[in-house]
Amino acid sequence: MGGAGGPGAPGTGTNGGPGAANSCETGRIGGRAVPLAPRQYVNVLRDVVGASAVSDNDAAASGDFVFDTVDLPWITTSTLDRLLRLSDGAVESLRGKTGTFLGCGSLLDDACVRTGLSKVARRTFKRPVQPAELDGIMAVRQAGIAAVATDQGESAALAALQAILIAPSTIYRSEFLAGVVSAEVALTPHERAASIAAFLLDSVPDEPLMAAADDGSLMARPGLEAQVDRLLALPRVRTHLTRLILQAFNVPRVYTTPKDSKLFPEYTPALQTSMYEESRRFVEDLLWTRSAPLGELLTSRRSFVDASLAKLYGVAAPSGDQFAATDLPVGRSGILTHASVLSVLSRTEVNSVVARGLFMRGNVLCLPKIPGPPASVQAQVAAQLDAKSTQRELAAFRAMTSPCMGCHQQFDRFGLLLEAYDPIGRHLPAQAQTVDFTGLPPLNGPLADVPALTGRLEQDQLFERCLSDRTLSYALSVSNNSQERCLADTASPAPASGSIRDLVLTIVDSPAFNNRSKEP
Amino acid sequence: MPYRTTRRNFLQGGCATAVAFWLRRAEAFAQGATSPKRFLVIHHPVGTIKSNWTCMGSETDFTLSRILKPFEPVKANMVVLDGMDIIARGVGGGHEQGTVVMMTGVRPTQLYPGNGGDDPKSAGPSVDQIFLNGSPSLKGPPIASLQVSCDDRVDVGEFSTRRLSYSGAAAPMDPYLVPNLTYQRVFGTMLAGSGSPDTLANARLLKKSVLDFGLGDLAKLRSLAPSSEYERLDAHEAAIRELERTFDSAPSSATQCGLTMAPPEYKPFVDGAGNRIGNGSYSTVNAKEGEQATHEMIGKLHFAVIRAAFQCDLTRVATFQWSPGTNHVAFQGFYPGDPQAVKMHHPLSHEFNNPMVPEALTLIDTWYSERTAALLSSLKDTPDLGGGTLLDNTLVPYVTEVARADHSWTDAPFLVFGGPGVKLQGNRLKKYSPRRPLNDLWLACAQALDCPTPTKLMTSEMSTGPLNILMG
């Protein structure tokens, strides 16, 4: 963020107070060619070619997923160059084993090689492959046989395989292959399978999902439920969704969030790792062990601590170096009061009412974005930050000063409620003060502490609705707060008051996920 | 034969094929061909401290300022521009809009969603791509253009500060972040160090057939896709065709191009959970350890590839970004009074009322001057095949996205390097009063590079005419 240097733009929701509606158009998002992100491409290569298809270094250099999509990537020269090299490494990892991979005793056996390649293409193209397409793939192989006559057809077969792996039909998932039906177009069974796979597997469909698309069972509720249940039982899907929730709360940032070592000598890399590990175990337990309602992400005091965290939270330490389940003290309430999240949402030396308030507003409640302070007040803002005032004094100043108050009244109060926790997440009951949310619908009225706030959110399922919307945006690969997101919201699923299974099923069975607008 | 190459293969170098290629090229220049013109944009972040940047003296007799002193070895190839404005009247934040306007010369009108709400989309191609498309002097090499960046950590995931080049409106060209991948792009097309000419030719043919299949597949996809997706798919087609051109050309040996070692592979920016480290927060100033040594190393490695690519005429256009304007590189030893303090550049720059910050920012900007000067000296020390040095024949604007840390865009600091090959008269201090818009520099660059005047850069609010920095 570089300070506001120009006027706001349409669609950024800059003026909406809590509960204010965006000016959304109605309808669905249009059909798209959705490219794989580089990390998804790595997953595809490993799923289709084998675990050793991509080195760990290359995988690490290919980025990580982000929960809040920014924009669909473009396949520019550097990106395609990257994918080409990854595919080159993948096919070379098969050299000497290509016959086994394709199921052919001889790689000069045209029919067998064609069959083997067609199976790969069906998987990566995420749909049945047309004979003409296979002819094209085999033409690459034929060119290979003419060019390299010394290795019994292996280089040729690998070239044909690479042509599949780098083909646009592999790189994109389409959303426009169905015929037009009334004002909307439903995804085909295979497009639906591809979308589900991108959402849950972070890759292309596995064989059972492809089969469910082939026989059409994926289009009916029982078949869809069966596939979702099967996928949610896979460790990789569980890990993926766990990381997705952790990202939604910025937990991974705890590794890179520094603190003043003089003020917080206990905040060591080991403690940072423990903080991450606590939140990971918490989410894993809630989603997969207990299948608990997602609302408990904000309300549950059940968590996992090691000795260092037990000291921070003031609970009994488990024996040895192990983590153990425990109930955190009253005053804690879900992941929002985890040391990880509170540390990330603080400055190096002090808390940040603004950072915590903005996070609550944007990430927990999905209220419209608030723009940064205009350039004209940057110096004043800096002066305030440099003054030796407390966070509460700064917030009080903003609440009484124009133009600060116009925006800060919409989020500072969340941060003030979180003032009862210090920059590394220790609870400071003496700092707790009731905060009056009057004029901030739908919370209107005083709230004594964070548990009171999360209880109030649970009452109206405000957090569940937000998490549902953000997850839908992720599943659709549309941007948070974008006009596309707006279009998705008009048909977003009801908030999932249930478990992660309910949320996933609601999303993948929703019209927003499955239908696209017809091109005018 | 694999597209991927190994370091060992490169270090072997010197095979008959590569030598033949080199000799052919050398002979062409020996027979009177002139050195090609080139264009290289170098970006440093967060503006400057103007009082320590401004040079004193007349146009031809001036003393380099404290921040610019490191450029003394290349002063003869340097023009200091004093009195320039970035005309940013579109949407977007200080560093964000500044980066986009600086590079495209047109005002952005749309924002990317999220990302702090101030992340603009480009409204047109960047100047490097405008010049590339318009100038016959820049066309010809197998790699149309190269984009590199030495760091991509930013505040809130914004797109705009992390990219300099755009092929068109809202069509960013992602830079290479890892020097080894830049190297692979330039020299990894085919094994230059092994195989007979026939084997290499066949292998290239095979790779082309792989890409050709992709072109056919893409055409089919496009025929079915809604028109709203055409632009995206057309950009993909352009990328395939550019990579195909690489296979059309003869292989190059890095060794013959003056690069004796491949950059090492390393795992970039991964945190303890295995997540790619992305964004920081500009409210967090302190960091754990200084990163300037790594930052410098990445810059050197990237630049060595660019220099080698220039030397062998494998590309004539490049953009080099030290870091996004919202720079999160941590510097140690630059904070007055506390040599142990580790501060991230952009977050530190936001401490407007901290009396230590101007000196810290001066030291950091001087650090960038020193490193950039060393890179430019390496161009100056490299003879060009058709005469002069690489620096003589390369036009190098040294730019930044804001004038100062307060995000203002007026009186912004710019330099231009080059020499006779690109019509630049060095050792000049150009003071403009009234100030001139940045597009005036780009219009002069267009002239120097034989590019027809880019009319889109000539709107009355964005330009007044080419700067008078060229010979003749």
Side-chain angles (χ1 to χ4, degrees):
Chain A
M1 187 177 298
T12 54
T14 54
N15 297 316
N22 286 331
S23 56
C24 290
E25 297 172 13
T26 57
R28 306 266 180 250
I29 60 175
R32 302 165 302 169
V34 183
L36 293 167
R39 65 154 209 293
Q40 287 178 319
Y41 191 67
V42 167
N43 291 341
V44 171
L45 294 179
R46 286 178 165 176
D47 288 345
V48 173
V49 176
S52 59
V54 182
S55 72
D56 288 343
N57 253 5
D58 281 344
S62 298
D64 199 1
F65 78 91
V66 286
F67 185 37
D68 293 313
T69 303
V70 176
D71 204 29
L72 292 180
W74 286 58
I75 306 299
T76 59
T77 307
S78 63
T79 311
L80 186 62
D81 182 36
R82 178 87 184 123
L83 301 187
L84 193 55
R85 289 176 196 287
L86 287 169
S87 70
D88 191 69
V91 299
E92 285 302 317
S93 75
L94 289 175
R95 194 170 284 279
K97 302 170 283 189
T98 311
T100 305
F101 175 75
L102 293 175
C104 300
S106 165
L107 289 172
L108 297 174
D109 180 341
D110 290 355
C112 182
V113 171
R114 184 181 176 101
T115 301
L117 291 172
S118 74
K119 288 176 182 171
V120 176
R122 171 178 168 275
R123 179 95 183 272
T124 65
F125 288 7
K126 306 161 284 282
R127 57 174 172 75
V129 183
Q130 302 303 311
E133 291 175 309
L134 270 176
D135 291 344
I137 293 164
M138 291 300 284
V140 175
R141 171 178 171 268
Q142 206 53 48
I145 287 176
V148 185
T150 55
D151 64 357
Q152 301 299 305
E154 182 162 42
S155 291
L158 290 176
L161 177 61
Q162 189 173 19
I164 294 169
L165 296 177
I166 201 65
S169 286
T170 294
I171 292 172
Y172 296 96
R173 69 173 199 268
S174 68
E175 296 181 336
F176 44 73
L177 295 182
V180 173
V181 182
S182 68
E184 294 186 0
V185 182
L187 301 184
T188 68
H190 291 96
E191 287 175 336
R192 190 178 203 182
S195 296
I196 292 171
F199 174 27
L200 299 178
L201 290 164
D202 213 24
S203 182
V204 289
D206 59 7
E207 193 48 48
L209 193 54
M210 282 296 286
D214 286 345
D215 65 21
S217 61
L218 191 62
M219 304 305 275
R221 178 78 184 192
L224 181 65
E225 282 193 29
Q227 286 301 318
V228 167
D229 286 337
R230 182 187 65 78
L231 289 165
L232 291 182
L234 298 176
R236 69 180 282 180
V237 174
R238 292 184 170 197
T239 300
H240 178 58
L241 292 180
T242 297
R243 292 181 71 193
L244 192 140
I245 296 291
L246 291 171
Q247 277 230 354
F249 284 92
N250 286 352
V251 172
R253 288 196 190 179
V254 73
Y255 281 107
T256 52
T257 300
K259 299 291 172 193
D260 187 315
S261 59
K262 295 187 184 76
L263 295 173
F264 306 103
E266 58 277 78
Y267 186 82
T268 60
L271 183 66
Q272 290 167 271
T273 301
S274 294
M275 287 176 173
Y276 179 88
E277 185 61 14
E278 179 207 1
S279 297
R280 189 192 68 76
R281 286 172 184 252
F282 169 82
V283 173
E284 202 170 69
D285 176 66
L286 194 150
L287 298 188
W288 312 116
T289 306
R290 297 193 290 123
S291 298
L294 292 169
E296 286 196 20
L297 284 166
L298 284 198
T299 59
S300 175
R301 287 194 288 119
R302 174 182 163 83
S303 195
F304 297 83
V305 297
D306 61 5
S308 60
L309 284 173
K311 188 176 176 188
L312 188 149
Y313 286 124
V315 297
S319 58
D321 297 333
Q322 302 300 306
F323 272 81
T326 189
D327 282 336
L328 297 181
V330 174
R332 299 284 173 178
S333 185
I335 197 168
L336 205 54
T337 54
H338 277 198
S340 59
V341 174
L342 291 165
S343 295
V344 167
L345 297 176
S346 301
R347 293 164 69 93
T348 314
E349 300 90 0
V350 295
N351 284 347
S352 172
V353 163
V354 170
R356 290 177 174 184
L358 284 173
F359 179 82
M360 279 295 300
R361 181 184 166 82
N363 294 43
V364 177
L365 296 172
C366 290
L367 295 172
K369 295 273 185 189
I370 301 284
S376 58
V377 301
Q378 292 278 3
Q380 286 175 267
V381 171
Q384 284 299 306
L385 290 175
D386 290 341
K388 300 300 180 191
S389 309
T390 66
Q391 288 287 302
R392 283 191 193 283
E393 289 167 345
L394 289 171
F397 174 82
R398 293 191 294 263
M400 293 184 298
T401 308
S402 178
C404 313
M405 63 170 70
C407 291
H408 281 272
Q409 67 178 356
Q410 297 175 39
F411 57 88
D412 269 6
R413 282 175 277 183
F414 295 114
L416 285 170
L417 213 53
L418 286 161
E419 272 290 279
Y421 308 89
D422 80 357
I424 62 169
R426 288 178 298 211
H427 191 202
L428 308 171
Q431 294 294 318
Q433 289 183 17
T434 296
V435 176
D436 187 356
F437 283 83
T438 297
L440 195 59
L443 296 175
N444 289 320
L447 292 170
D449 52 22
V450 173
L453 170 66
T454 55
R456 181 70 183 79
L457 300 182
E458 188 178 31
Q459 199 177 318
D460 290 345
Q461 297 190 329
L462 297 174
F463 163 64
E464 289 91 329
R465 184 183 293 275
C466 177
L467 182 63
S468 174
D469 279 356
R470 290 178 75 194
T471 310
L472 174 65
S473 294
Y474 173 78
L476 285 171
S477 301
V478 298
S479 310
N480 196 16
N481 265 25
S482 71
Q483 189 62 20
E484 283 186 330
R485 157 73 183 277
C486 231
L487 295 174
D489 279 351
T490 61
S492 66
S497 57
S499 64
I500 185 73
R501 176 183 185 272
D502 299 317
L503 173 64
V504 169
L505 256 180
T506 306
I507 286 174
V508 300
D509 201 24
S510 69
F513 186 79
N514 290 296
N515 293 355
R516 298 292 177 267
S517 65
K518 187 177 69 171
E519 187 174 30
Chain B
M1 181 167 293
Y3 180 70
R4 172 178 299 232
T5 58
T6 65
R7 180 174 167 175
R8 186 168 56 83
N9 290 126
F10 283 111
L11 294 180
Q12 286 170 349
C15 78
T17 304
V19 171
F21 155 76
W22 183 255
L23 288 175
R24 279 198 306 275
R25 186 162 298 233
E27 284 167 4
F29 285 107
Q31 289 166 7
T34 56
S35 295
K37 294 182 177 182
R38 306 180 188 88
F39 186 61
L40 164 66
V41 177
I42 300 180
H43 168 259
H44 65 118
V46 197
T48 194
I49 300 297
K50 194 65 193 296
S51 56
N52 291 328
W53 187 91
T54 302
C55 300
M56 305 306 290
S58 66
E59 178 172 343
T60 56
D61 183 12
F62 63 101
T63 305
L64 291 176
S65 64
R66 182 179 166 199
I67 290 175
L68 299 186
K69 188 72 179 168
F71 288 111
E72 191 71 51
V74 287
K75 188 183 175 195
N77 295 81
M78 172 186 190
V79 178
V80 180
L81 303 176
D82 199 340
M84 302 291 295
D85 291 345
I86 300 171
I87 310 294
R89 293 174 186 155
V91 299
H95 301 280
E96 294 83 351
Q97 186 182 174
T99 306
V100 171
V101 172
M102 173 185 76
M103 287 304 297
T104 64
V106 292
R107 59 158 68 179
T109 58
Q110 292 184 309
L111 296 174
Y112 286 110
N115 299 349
D118 60 0
D119 191 17
K121 299 183 177 184
S122 80
S126 51
V127 289
D128 55 308
Q129 298 303 304
I130 292 173
F131 299 157
L132 175 60
N133 289 326
S135 166
S137 299
L138 297 177
K139 291 188 172 74
I143 297 168
S145 63
L146 263 184
Q147 293 78 37
V148 305
S149 176
C150 306
D151 201 281
D152 74 339
R153 291 168 295 173
V154 290
D155 287 346
V156 286
E158 60 268 18
F159 258 42
S160 54
T161 57
R162 289 189 283 178
R163 290 153 177 87
L164 294 181
S165 296
Y166 293 86
S167 60
M173 301 176 75
D174 295 338
Y176 287 93
L177 296 169
V178 180
N180 187 267
L181 296 178
T182 313
Y183 179 85
Q184 295 286 343
R185 168 74 181 107
V186 176
F187 297 107
T189 303
M190 198 52 60
L191 290 167
S194 64
S196 69
D198 284 349
T199 306
L200 289 169
N202 283 336
R204 290 208 306 277
L205 206 62
L206 200 51
K207 291 302 178 193
K208 278 200 69 177
S209 72
V210 167
L211 291 174
D212 278 344
F213 176 78
L215 280 177
D217 187 44
L218 189 68
K220 185 184 167 199
L221 202 63
R222 193 183 189 281
S223 72
L224 298 169
S227 58
S228 56
E229 297 300 277
Y230 287 175
E231 201 174 356
R232 177 186 306 281
L233 298 176
D234 290 348
H236 188 153
E237 180 184 340
I240 295 178
R241 294 197 183 283
E242 183 171 355
L243 288 183
E244 279 202 325
R245 277 199 297 277
T246 312
F247 291 110
D248 284 335
S249 63
S252 305
S253 156
T255 308
Q256 296 290 352
C257 301
L259 197 58
T260 53
M261 292 204 33
E265 292 194 27
Y266 75 101
K267 191 181 282 189
F269 315 130
V270 180
D271 67 23
N275 298 299
R276 180 98 187 274
I277 294 173
N279 316 320
S281 159
Y282 80 117
S283 64
T284 301
V285 177
N286 296 317
K288 290 179 180 173
E289 55 191 29
E291 301 168 321
Q292 62 261 39
T294 304
H295 194 42
E296 178 181 8
M297 180 196 74
I298 292 172
K300 276 183 176 176
L301 292 171
H302 270 313
F303 200 86
V305 178
I306 291 175
R307 189 193 63 233
F310 281 174
Q311 192 173 338
C312 278
D313 198 23
L314 298 174
T315 191
R316 295 175 186 172
V317 176
T319 56
F320 176 99
Q321 186 170 30
W322 274 111
S323 84
T326 43
N327 183 10
H328 279 257
V329 172
F331 288 85
Q332 182 171 20
F334 291 29
Y335 193 74
D338 186 357
Q340 298 307 311
V342 183
K343 306 279 185 182
M344 288 187 278
H345 188 189
H346 173 240
L348 177 67
S349 76
H350 273 245
E351 295 191 342
F352 298 116
N353 287 12
N354 180 341
M356 301 297 171
V357 168
E359 177 62 14
L361 296 182
T362 295
L363 291 170
I364 292 173
D365 203 26
T366 305
W367 185 92
Y368 279 116
S369 294
E370 290 166 353
R371 273 67 200 171
T372 304
L375 303 180
L376 294 172
S377 292
S378 74
L379 294 184
K380 188 179 176 71
D381 294 341
T382 306
D384 213 343
L385 275 177
T389 69
L390 289 182
L391 188 55
D392 286 338
N393 302 312
T394 305
L395 198 57
V396 190
Y398 183 59
V399 300
T400 184
E401 80 289 345
V402 289
R404 289 168 288 280
D406 66 0
H407 304 131
S408 59
W409 293 302
T410 55
D411 204 8
F414 297 110
L415 308 174
V416 192
F417 297 88
V422 285
K423 306 175 187 171
L424 194 77
Q425 178 66 62
N427 198 18
R428 291 289 186 274
L429 168 61
K430 294 284 190 179
K431 295 183 178 181
Y432 296 107
S433 180
R435 292 190 305 272
R436 301 284 293 272
L438 174 60
N439 278 13
D440 290 357
L441 168 62
W442 299 138
L443 294 175
C445 291
Q447 288 183 346
L449 298 168
D450 310 319
C451 178
T453 302
T455 53
K456 286 187 177 175
L457 303 185
M458 290 195 66
T459 58
S460 58
E461 68 166 357
M462 303 293 277
S463 73
T464 60
L467 290 184
N468 58 337
I469 57 172
L470 303 180
M471 297 174 181

